[in-house]
Amino acid sequence: MQQKLNTFSGIVFAVYVWTCALAFCAIAGLLLYSVVSAGVTQVNWAFLTQEPIDSGRDGGIAPIILSTVLIIGVCLLATVPLGVGTAIFLADRISGKSKLAIGIRTALDVLGGVPSIIFGLFGNAFFCIALGMGYSILSGGLTLACMVLPIFVRVAESAIRNVAVDHYRAAMALALSKWTTTFRVILPRAIPGLLAALTLGIARALAETAALIFTSGYVTRFPESLNDSGRSLSVHIYDLALNVTGGNDRAFATASVLVILLLLINVVTHFVTRKLLRQS
Amino acid sequence: MIETKQLSVAYAGKSVIRDVSLKVDQGEILAIVGPSGCGKSSFLAAINRLTDLVPGASITGQVLVDCCDIRSTTRTPVELRKCAGMIFQKPNPFEMSIRKNIQLPLREHGVRSKSELDRITEEVLQKVGLWSEVQDRLNQSATQLSGGQQQRLCIARAMALRPQIMLMDEPCSALDPISSSTVEALIESMRGEFTVVIVTHNLAQARRISDRTAVFWLVDGVGQLIAEGETKQVFENPQSEVAAAYFSGLKG
Amino acid sequence: MISAVTRDAALAFLLRSLALASAGIICLICLFVARESWLALDSTGTVNPADTVGSVNADGEPFQLSNLVNDDGWNPDGQQFNLLPMIVGSLLATFGSALLAGPLGIGVAVFLNYYAPKKIGWAVRRLVEIMAGVPSVVYGLWGLSVLVPMIASLSPIEQGQSLLAGILILTFMTIPTVVVASDAAIQAVPANQIHAAAALGLGRRATVWSIVLPAARFGLVSAIILQFARAIGETMAVLMVCGNIVKMPNSIFAPIRTLTSNIALEMGYADNHHRSILFLSGLVGLVIVSVLMLAANTFSKTQRLST
């Protein structure tokens, strides 16, 4: 009897677990398929190189791609030095264990959980108004940098920490300076991990919408400088889907560009991290 | 040359070695033996202040290297570590070329001229018997060398800084028997030129290469020095029963 | 030639400064969001009503914090600032998605660790990774054009943009969060306990149900809290599928507006009290999410320490 009951509950549980997995895969597959299949047929050279016409109902997304690239560029220029420096500090075997480091890690954890709309509020109040940058690619990029920083630091920190402890000890036993140890011994070995951090940061930044609407704005023409407002791919999707009647087709086309880009980044990151794992 | 007085090391309040007083003379080879976990490596790390890298490590007592306290303000850890090279259990060449492995620390410590760098590189590689094996591929990655070659490269790298002391933490235990005997011969050849402190759990090796031997043992969970003297004496007339039992394989 | 000691000191100083700057960002955020909220917070009776031009509500009374729940409705032009329907909307959507995403996500994590054939497990893991990276605006677009019409065909009021659409889209979005966090919690269960279970002849269900899940409980709670934090802060997707009508929902098919969508919809033209109240609702969200994140961290740490 007990045996039968065990078998029965085992089956019920297995069915439940498999159902969860299947449901997830079905939804994910449906979503990816319907976005890409609805959009990809409209993606061609002209779409990628033309300016939007009639609020985006027609034409292409060239200026939007340029704005996106510029926003991400600004974001990375701010994130990389700040993030790598912080990661080195946190991964160090002495300073990384200090009370200060624990505090900094907690601060970054909290920052990592802040909803993107709040970054939008902050970016608007701080970069656009207090620092007088207005609605601009600069404001948007810097706002994204604040947002991307925690995930970048987390991955970069573990990449640096993973550099084998023997290398670190060897450098110390040879009385190498901190400077040489950091720049000649540790960082070169951490490069694959730092690249993974970078691609993850880019993916996160590409996906962002809410933080950009009120910082980099939604002007569709070609930006003339970093002080110009510019619309990112994700903001373009939002605007077409919600504010432009008849914009759905182009919204799907843009979404499929974005999703395919993110898939590529995912594959690259996976490849890089695998290589990293094989090395260490 | 090296002298410790009542040296104790604790990590985060937990003692690992207590009251070790030991003297090593210029140019001799001292072997430290004992079961694992009895603080042999911590003893070595205390000598060149590698314990500084462990948060919460505290050292009490005195360590004199060249008659000068290691914590004296007149000598920085950098100078101390230049004077006392260290070789680890697992060979740890940097992931760069063989040449760079040796020259990076040299440059760091002020050797600039290319001819001088190359001269020292050849000299130390000759000394460790690696020159003939690698002279044609100095620009290849050091990680492509075999384990034994890597370990000899690490010894050459340490030698390049002209230390007077070599601290060796089980330098042969990660190597195959043939490489192990090559490295062992190399260590023997260092007698007179370097003061060598070698930690080993291979008693036969200690007997073969050392002038004097120190035996560490766990007493109440803390590593202590229980026997010390001429290697021959220590092995043939053990001063304590524990040491005798350890040598005969009954304990440890 | 700069000496090595000076160079090292400079490097240490630089690294420390960069790390401090990184930590400073969260303080800067709190500071600025709070500063912009101040107008709304400060008018609570301490200010002379004569100074509060433009902040007097329709009844001619100065603005009070209690107006946020007592006003007749949400009509910023008429100085009516009742946030209650949006608070309720946010909470309903978040709780609803937690109820669905929690069990589903944990189920997927159990599947990955104990039921999935190796190759399928690998593929599902990759899919989870991919779905975690899909932008919320894409979830929103898909929800708007696929999910919403489906709901409209079922709905008694024949409208798809609804609380239900919000709950479902939040569920889909947050499943990857739950899977990743509970996967980590399940993997952190010490192998010796699982070996012991196997040695006692426990079956797969019994091992998971009575050994693994209890041992991973803190990590699983942490996963749910993370899901909750993520869902309550989500903006774009819910903005696109929920209909955004400010009204207390009376059924699961009723349209709602969440606090976050409200900010995104109105920030563009808001000023004075209106703008300040939007920042205030952001500030409250910031505090809630920060507390949740810290709680999630504490829980996952508790599991690591207890095992």
Side-chain angles (χ1 to χ4, degrees):
Chain A
M1 184 61 206
Q2 184 63 39
Q3 193 59 44
K4 257 190 187 154
L5 208 64
N6 277 345
T7 326
F8 178 69
S9 61
I11 290 171
V12 170
F13 194 67
V15 166
Y16 169 72
V17 166
W18 274 93
T19 312
C20 287
L22 285 176
F24 170 73
C25 292
I27 295 162
L30 182 65
L31 190 145
L32 291 175
Y33 173 78
S34 57
V35 169
V36 173
S37 70
V40 85
T41 49
Q42 306 169 58
V43 179
N44 51 34
W45 187 244
F47 180 70
L48 296 175
T49 52
Q50 278 178 358
E51 292 196 44
I53 302 168
D54 191 14
S55 305
R57 290 183 191 91
D58 212 343
I61 53 169
I64 289 141
I65 293 178
L66 179 66
S67 298
T68 309
V69 170
L70 290 176
I71 291 171
I72 304 258
V74 170
C75 164
L76 293 183
L77 278 180
T79 308
V80 170
L82 193 59
V84 171
T86 307
I88 296 173
F89 180 84
L90 292 178
D92 186 272
R93 283 163 179 83
I94 308 255
S95 66
K97 294 203 171 87
S98 61
K99 286 230 167 72
L100 179 67
I102 295 169
I104 289 172
R105 248 183 238 115
T106 312
L108 284 172
D109 280 349
V110 173
L111 187 65
V114 171
S116 53
I117 185 75
I118 298 192
F119 282 99
L121 288 178
F122 162 73
N124 182 275
F126 184 65
F127 295 115
C128 300
I129 296 175
L131 298 187
M133 295 178 188
Y135 279 42
S136 65
I137 286 173
L138 212 52
S139 303
L142 292 175
T143 307
L144 281 191
C146 300
M147 205 176 126
V148 163
L149 190 71
I151 182 148
F152 181 88
V153 170
R154 193 176 314 144
V155 179
E157 183 192 338
S158 70
I160 294 170
R161 202 183 285 277
N162 277 345
V163 171
V165 65
D166 341 337
H167 280 71
Y168 181 74
R169 287 200 305 177
M172 283 297 127
L174 290 165
L176 296 189
S177 66
K178 193 87 204 153
W179 181 281
T180 313
T181 310
T182 306
F183 291 107
R184 303 295 295 278
V185 179
I186 294 179
L187 282 188
R189 272 182 54 100
I191 280 175
L194 294 178
L195 283 179
L198 195 71
T199 50
L200 269 174
I202 294 175
R204 180 93 204 267
L206 271 177
E208 189 44 44
T209 313
L212 287 177
I213 302 178
F214 303 115
T215 53
S216 69
Y218 26 85
V219 171
T220 52
R221 61 182 155 71
F222 272 107
E224 276 156 26
S225 77
L226 294 182
N227 292 319
D228 239 3
S229 165
R231 175 191 280 207
S232 77
L233 286 170
S234 51
V235 174
H236 191 54
I237 299 171
Y238 161 67
D239 195 58
L240 284 179
L242 215 62
N243 301 335
V244 179
T245 33
N248 244 12
D249 287 348
R250 288 306 199 211
F252 272 108
T254 315
S256 62
V257 170
L258 188 54
V259 167
I260 289 169
L261 206 56
L262 288 167
L263 284 177
L264 283 178
I265 290 177
N266 182 289
V267 170
V268 170
T269 318
H270 195 74
F271 175 75
V272 170
T273 24
R274 261 238 314 250
K275 204 172 162 203
L276 172 81
L277 283 180
R278 214 176 318 137
Q279 267 181 4
S280 54
Chain B
M1 188 58 211
I2 305 174
E3 188 176 4
T4 66
K5 292 178 180 165
Q6 309 279 304
L7 173 68
S8 302
V9 179
Y11 296 128
K14 192 182 175 303
S15 290
V16 283
I17 52 174
R18 184 179 296 153
D19 292 341
V20 175
S21 300
L22 197 60
K23 215 172 150 198
V24 194
D25 289 326
Q26 174 88 47
E28 75 172 2
I29 300 180
L30 172 83
I32 300 181
V33 298
S36 50
C38 67
K40 305 184 298 276
S41 302
S42 300
F43 178 76
L44 275 199
I47 295 176
N48 72 345
R49 293 186 58 174
L50 229 51
T51 42
D52 290 6
L53 306 183
V54 185
S58 66
I59 296 178
T60 48
Q62 242 189 341
V63 183
L64 305 173
V65 170
D66 258 349
C67 308
C68 175
D69 192 293
I70 57 164
R71 277 168 293 177
S72 118
T73 46
T74 57
R75 184 164 54 185
T76 62
V78 169
E79 288 169 54
L80 173 69
R81 287 175 194 150
K82 262 172 76 181
C83 150
M86 189 162 200
I87 308 299
F88 298 86
Q89 179 169 3
K90 199 171 144 234
N92 53 6
F94 298 129
E95 275 179 25
M96 24 179 112
S97 68
I98 296 170
R99 187 198 305 276
K100 262 201 162 168
N101 257 284
I102 293 172
Q103 297 189 351
L104 177 74
L106 280 171
R107 279 174 198 277
E108 172 86 7
H109 298 304
V111 182
R112 296 278 152 190
S113 101
K114 174 131 182 27
S115 58
E116 180 70 0
L117 286 168
D118 285 340
R119 194 189 60 69
I120 299 177
T121 307
E122 180 176 346
E123 181 195 315
V124 292
L125 285 175
Q126 291 275 17
K127 259 190 192 163
V128 299
L130 212 51
W131 180 249
S132 56
E133 293 163 49
V134 302
Q135 57 174 320
D136 306 325
R137 44 180 181 138
L138 288 177
N139 293 325
Q140 277 183 19
S141 169
T143 50
Q144 287 170 5
L145 297 173
S146 73
Q149 288 175 319
Q150 288 188 11
Q151 192 62 300
R152 283 186 285 154
L153 176 64
C154 291
I155 295 175
R157 186 174 68 180
M159 279 180 173
L161 300 179
R162 305 192 189 289
Q164 291 160 294
I165 299 171
M166 278 287 186
L167 305 170
M168 304 187 135
D169 193 352
E170 308 201 13
C172 299
S173 64
L175 305 180
D176 63 84
I178 295 172
S179 312
S180 172
S181 67
T182 319
V183 172
E184 199 179 300
L186 172 61
I187 297 169
E188 273 198 274
S189 75
M190 289 157 70
R191 176 176 285 118
E193 193 177 352
F194 298 95
T195 307
V196 178
V197 181
I198 175 170
V199 165
T200 175
H201 56 215
N202 181 340
L203 294 175
Q205 184 180 59
R207 249 177 131 148
R208 281 194 298 270
I209 62 174
S210 68
D211 301 308
R212 291 196 309 131
T213 298
V215 185
F216 278 43
W217 199 260
L218 271 181
V219 181
D220 304 328
V222 182
Q224 298 196 9
L225 178 67
I226 56 158
E228 187 249 321
E230 297 276 327
T231 297
K232 217 169 166 214
Q233 290 276 315
V234 170
F235 278 96
E236 283 168 12
N237 300 308
Q239 295 148 342
S240 73
E241 280 179 33
V242 180
Y246 175 54
F247 294 148
S248 63
L250 294 174
K251 265 193 175 181
Chain C
M1 178 68 202
I2 309 160
S3 85
V5 178
T6 338
R7 218 171 38 172
D8 275 9
L11 179 65
F13 178 76
L14 177 73
L15 293 178
R16 204 183 159 87
S17 315
L18 288 173
L20 280 172
S22 296
I25 292 175
I26 184 72
C27 308
L28 212 56
I29 291 179
C30 295
L31 198 76
F32 267 83
V33 177
R35 202 183 82 162
E36 300 283 322
S37 317
W38 193 244
L39 184 62
L41 286 168
D42 191 46
S43 335
T44 51
T46 55
V47 168
N48 181 353
D51 297 340
T52 55
V53 183
S55 64
V56 176
N57 69 13
D59 312 327
E61 306 267 319
F63 175 82
Q64 306 256 328
L65 265 190
S66 57
N67 288 25
L68 295 179
V69 289
N70 287 338
D71 273 353
D72 295 334
W74 177 262
N75 175 14
D77 294 336
Q79 303 295 322
Q80 299 279 340
F81 298 112
N82 190 343
L83 285 174
L84 208 53
M86 295 178 248
I87 297 173
V88 171
S90 274
L91 288 178
L92 284 176
T94 306
F95 272 110
S97 72
L99 282 179
L100 291 176
L104 265 168
I106 293 173
V108 175
V110 169
F111 172 79
L112 288 176
N113 284 288
Y114 291 96
Y115 285 83
K118 208 172 167 212
K119 280 196 180 138
I120 296 182
W122 180 86
V124 175
R125 257 180 231 277
R126 298 306 313 284
L127 198 56
V128 169
E129 237 175 71
I130 290 167
M131 295 315 282
V134 169
S136 59
V137 70
V138 172
Y139 277 100
L141 174 66
W142 178 79
L144 188 61
S145 47
V146 178
L147 195 62
V148 164
M150 267 154 67
I151 293 174
S153 66
L154 297 172
S155 164
I157 52 173
E158 287 171 15
Q159 200 212 327
Q161 292 186 315
S162 58
L163 173 59
L164 178 62
I167 290 176
L168 289 178
I169 215 74
L170 280 178
T171 304
F172 300 160
M173 285 190 69
T174 52
I175 286 179
T177 312
V178 181
V179 175
V180 170
S182 38
D183 186 35
I186 287 173
Q187 287 186 354
V189 173
N192 61 10
Q193 297 196 18
I194 293 153
H195 293 163
L200 293 168
L202 291 191
R204 211 159 19 173
R205 182 207 66 91
T207 309
V208 172
W209 192 254
S210 36
I211 309 289
V212 174
L213 293 184
R217 65 188 181 280
F218 287 111
L220 297 177
V221 171
S222 163
I224 306 280
I225 297 176
L226 276 178
Q227 187 280 340
F228 203 87
R230 176 97 206 274
I232 204 165
E234 175 48 40
T235 310
M236 299 318 292
V238 286
L239 168 64
M240 293 167 85
V241 302
C242 286
N244 301 323
I245 293 180
V246 189
K247 211 181 127 200
M248 206 56 101
N250 52 10
S251 91
I252 201 155
F253 292 106
I256 58 156
R257 181 187 286 195
T258 64
L259 280 174
T260 50
S261 333
N262 189 43
I263 298 174
L265 286 166
E266 302 192 350
M267 250 296 284
Y269 59 87
D271 53 12
N272 289 331
H273 266 75
H274 184 196
R275 179 177 160 93
S276 186
I277 287 164
L278 294 182
F279 269 87
L280 180 61
S281 51
L283 183 66
V284 172
L286 178 61
V287 171
I288 292 176
V289 170
S290 302
V291 170
L292 288 174
M293 290 306 287
L294 289 176
N297 267 358
T298 316
F299 272 108
S300 68
K301 239 176 242 157
T302 314
Q303 183 187 350
R304 250 178 288 142
L305 292 181
S306 68
T307 49

